[in-house]
Amino acid sequence: MVLSKTSSESDVSVHSTFASRYVRTSLPRFKMPEESIPKEAAYQIINDELMLDGNPRLNLASFVTTWMEPECDKLIMASINKNYVDMDEYPVTTELQNRCVNMIAHLFNAPLEENEAAVGVGTVGSSEAIMLAGLAFKRKWQNKRKQEGKPFDKPNIVTGANVQVCWEKFARYFEVELKEVKLSEGYYVMDPKKAVDLVDENTICVAAILGSTLNGEFEDVKTLNDLLVEKNKETGWDTPIHVDAASGGFIAPFIYPELEWDFRLPLVKSINVSGHKYGLVYAGIGWAVWRSKEDLPEELIFHINYLGADQPTFTLNFSKGSSQVIAQYYQLIRLGYEGYKNVMENCRDNMIVLKEGLEKMGRFNIVSKDNGVPLVAFTLKDHTNFDEFQISDLLRRFGWIVPAYSMPPDAQHITVLRVVIREDFSRTLAERLVADVEKVLHELDTLAARIRMISSSSNVTVTEEVVKNNGQVVATKKSALETQREITAVWKKFVLDRKKLNDKMNGVC
């Protein structure tokens, strides 16, 4: 009697994923497959493809948190199936969000009475928080203009050209003119005086950044506030300030407590901060906090009851996960003021290690500041043989993701490399990165020498010249453009050869 049988093509049992038929064909990319596949195969196939992503811990382009304690990971997984908007069903989660709002408001020195609740909301990130703050400013400005019988169809907002793209989105999506203060070489944040000069009766607010994404520098909110107070007195306007503290909001209170940038300044009416940056929570959680109830127009708040009880809501998103809110509360009570202070001081110390290591090479100018977001932004002193983009490209061979980018107008001729120092970026990694940058520079120097040798051996000239004999063209020498193309071809061949070698080496165990 035969006691065994072969599996049919529709049998979903898998004894070895890599021996199954599910890894022998390409998965559908545009249409849902007709048949199911085993969970083991689906997991393995997707997991294998995700291995080709970069390592988040080595992504030095991002400000977003990439590590949390295992205990917090457990809390996140335990609450990942909770929809935050169901406040009646999950009252404890709602209470934790309210606690976070109040803690952050007090951290930003909101003028609250002893038992007064703060005005704020949790968001998916700072982009949503900025949209909400901008809408509040726009609606409040419009209401005042209507009461005065004045036109209210041309609102504008004043920012620096260094703002994050979410401000441009707000302006375009909600039909607000964006008036940008241009940058200049050596000064890569908004100039307060130039910003106040751009303010007019249609300005709904001036947006200052506490921690520019370009070089980490804090804008001078105190000077902006003082200049705007004087202009408001002269004109009779009441132009307010919003502080985009996405990156710096969880830094300044702990290592620069004397810096006045928050609700201690009378014209600062709202602040946003990213919990998923230096709030030390995984993406995506942000917070918007207002100075008082009067700064958030009541008509922007919706009340719903079809989920079980009257629930006020002021968000662009409706359904969202609860896990990041819970993770933020965990960090706030787990670390406390002392813990956050230690983390931020450690980030600053590692930033200085990296900065000093780069300075010792003598090849870079540092454009970031010691006081600000802990990052190092640097640019080459000599661009004769290679540029920052080539350095960024070659650093990827070592696993590092270091962005290279051009500054906004009017400093677009400046190209910068930037390394963000997060909680999980240790001193050892900082020293390792310095060593790898040195290797990349040596390799690029070697390439430049090889290109010069090839150029000289081929008798390349740098001027276009045609030799004539009795009106006939005898020979045409290479033009500067042709020379550049030849050098570029050599560079591309070199990079391609190195890439093939690296790909080959990456396959070796």
Side-chain angles (χ1 to χ4, degrees):
M1 177 183 288
V2 177
L3 299 178
S4 63
K5 62 179 182 179
T6 59
S7 299
S8 68
E9 284 295 303
S10 61
D11 189 357
V12 296
S13 63
V14 174
H15 299 289
S16 175
T17 299
F18 293 111
S20 72
R21 62 188 176 89
Y22 304 107
V23 297
R24 298 180 183 179
T25 58
S26 297
L27 289 180
R29 286 176 169 81
F30 303 108
K31 293 183 179 180
M32 185 182 296
E34 294 294 329
E35 298 178 352
S36 304
I37 66 174
K39 60 182 182 296
E40 299 90 347
Y43 168 81
Q44 192 65 59
I45 292 168
I46 296 173
N47 185 66
D48 288 352
E49 197 163 4
L50 287 173
M51 290 192 301
L52 299 175
D53 270 346
N55 184 339
R57 294 280 300 279
L58 299 181
N59 180 9
L60 306 182
S62 177
F63 292 82
V64 175
T65 297
T66 53
W67 178 87
M68 295 189 75
E69 292 176 329
E71 291 77 8
C72 193
D73 289 345
K74 292 178 184 178
L75 286 173
I76 289 173
M77 293 309 300
S79 58
I80 203 160
N81 60 349
K82 290 183 180 179
N83 184 3
Y84 171 76
V85 76
D86 293 336
M87 299 178 187
D88 192 52
E89 285 75 15
Y90 309 123
V92 175
T93 301
T94 302
E95 170 64 19
L96 296 189
Q97 189 230 215
N98 294 339
R99 292 178 191 177
C100 289
V101 168
N102 281 277
M103 289 181 182
I104 293 169
H106 280 95
L107 189 65
F108 296 165
N109 294 292
L112 300 171
E113 299 295 333
E114 184 65 28
N115 296 315
E116 183 181 0
V119 180
V121 64
T123 61
V124 173
S126 273
S127 293
E128 184 188 4
I130 284 169
M131 302 284 178
L132 297 176
L135 283 172
F137 282 120
K138 180 181 178 182
R139 182 56 58 90
K140 192 169 183 182
W141 173 84
Q142 286 178 326
N143 289 343
K144 183 182 178 183
R145 298 283 289 183
K146 289 177 183 178
Q147 292 175 359
E148 296 173 345
K150 296 179 180 178
F152 53 90
D153 59 334
K154 294 183 179 180
N156 69 66
I157 190 168
V158 176
T159 70
N162 56 312
V163 291
Q164 213 262 0
V165 69
C166 60
W167 284 100
E168 298 177 37
K169 287 184 178 181
F170 165 75
R172 188 178 303 177
Y173 292 168
F174 296 104
E175 298 180 325
V176 176
E177 179 190 0
L178 191 65
K179 300 173 72 172
E180 293 184 340
V181 177
K182 304 302 181 185
L183 309 185
S184 60
E185 185 171 351
Y187 195 87
Y188 304 117
V189 292
M190 180 178 70
D191 184 323
K193 185 178 185 307
K194 292 180 180 178
V196 174
D197 289 342
L198 288 178
V199 170
D200 59 31
E201 63 178 350
N202 294 322
T203 302
I204 63 175
C205 80
V206 180
I209 304 177
L210 195 76
S212 172
T213 57
L214 300 179
N215 68 344
E217 187 174 352
F218 292 165
E219 292 185 342
D220 191 348
V221 188
K222 176 70 165 61
T223 298
L224 176 65
N225 178 87
D226 295 345
L227 292 173
L228 203 51
V229 165
E230 292 301 316
K231 183 155 189 172
N232 284 343
K233 286 180 180 178
E234 295 173 3
T235 59
W237 305 332
D238 55 358
T239 308
I241 296 173
H242 174 84
V243 179
D244 179 358
S247 300
F250 277 111
I251 296 173
F254 303 107
I255 55 179
Y256 310 112
E258 74 289 344
L259 182 67
E260 294 184 59
W261 63 273
D262 51 19
F263 292 122
R264 285 170 288 182
L265 303 175
L267 291 184
V268 174
K269 303 298 183 181
S270 56
I271 300 172
N272 70 275
V273 65
S274 292
H276 60 221
K277 292 182 180 177
Y278 289 93
L280 308 181
V281 178
Y282 295 138
I285 181 71
W287 303 94
V289 183
W290 283 266
R291 184 183 195 88
S292 66
K293 292 180 180 179
E294 290 71 29
D295 297 305
L296 178 57
E298 177 64 32
E299 64 263 35
L300 293 178
I301 301 173
F302 289 81
H303 294 266
I304 59 171
N305 62 11
Y306 57 80
L307 293 174
D310 179 70
Q311 299 169 6
T313 174
F314 177 43
T315 58
L316 296 180
N317 295 288
F318 192 65
S319 296
K320 67 176 179 180
S322 299
S323 54
Q324 266 68 19
V325 171
I326 294 168
Q328 182 73 82
Y329 185 65
Y330 171 90
Q331 292 290 56
L332 291 173
I333 66 168
R334 160 76 176 95
L335 295 174
Y337 189 94
E338 177 190 26
Y340 269 94
K341 186 174 187 291
N342 289 337
V343 169
M344 302 313 156
E345 287 178 341
N346 187 51
C347 289
R348 182 178 60 183
D349 292 345
N350 289 330
M351 177 266 291
I352 292 173
V353 170
L354 177 60
K355 174 193 169 188
E356 291 177 347
L358 294 170
E359 286 178 326
K360 286 180 181 178
M361 298 179 196
R363 308 286 294 271
F364 299 106
N365 289 318
I366 307 297
V367 300
S368 52
K369 306 294 183 181
D370 288 346
N371 294 338
V373 177
L375 62 80
V376 182
F378 53 105
T379 184
L380 280 167
K381 292 180 179 179
D382 183 5
H383 293 82
T384 303
N385 298 317
F386 51 85
D387 60 22
E388 290 81 5
F389 293 98
Q390 290 159 346
I391 294 175
S392 174
D393 185 56
L394 291 188
L395 279 172
R396 284 181 177 264
R397 291 198 291 106
F398 297 95
W400 303 109
I401 301 175
V402 178
Y405 53 88
S406 299
M407 288 290 193
D410 287 329
Q412 60 266 39
H413 59 288
I414 305 295
T415 306
V416 171
L417 291 155
R418 187 195 68 204
V419 174
V420 177
I421 310 298
R422 299 190 301 270
E423 178 188 14
D424 56 349
F425 187 81
S426 65
R427 178 166 184 157
T428 299
L429 287 178
E431 293 169 346
R432 179 74 185 190
L433 178 57
V434 170
D436 290 342
V437 170
E438 286 185 308
K439 292 176 185 177
V440 166
L441 291 176
H442 176 72
E443 189 166 339
L444 290 169
D445 287 336
T446 302
L447 172 63
R450 182 185 299 182
I451 291 175
R452 285 195 297 270
M453 181 181 67
I454 293 173
S455 298
S456 61
S457 64
S458 60
N459 296 319
V460 175
T461 59
V462 295
T463 57
E464 187 172 9
E465 192 173 319
V466 179
V467 179
K468 294 185 179 181
N469 184 18
N470 297 325
Q472 300 296 318
V473 176
V474 177
T476 303
K477 296 184 178 180
K478 294 177 181 177
S479 66
L481 179 60
E482 290 171 327
T483 301
Q484 184 61 43
R485 286 174 177 169
E486 182 175 302
I487 293 174
T488 301
V490 174
W491 160 253
K492 287 182 177 179
K493 184 178 183 303
F494 174 81
V495 172
L496 183 60
D497 290 343
R498 294 294 304 191
K499 186 176 185 301
K500 289 179 180 177
L501 177 63
N502 291 332
D503 291 342
K504 187 175 181 181
M505 293 300 293
N506 286 338
V508 178
C509 296

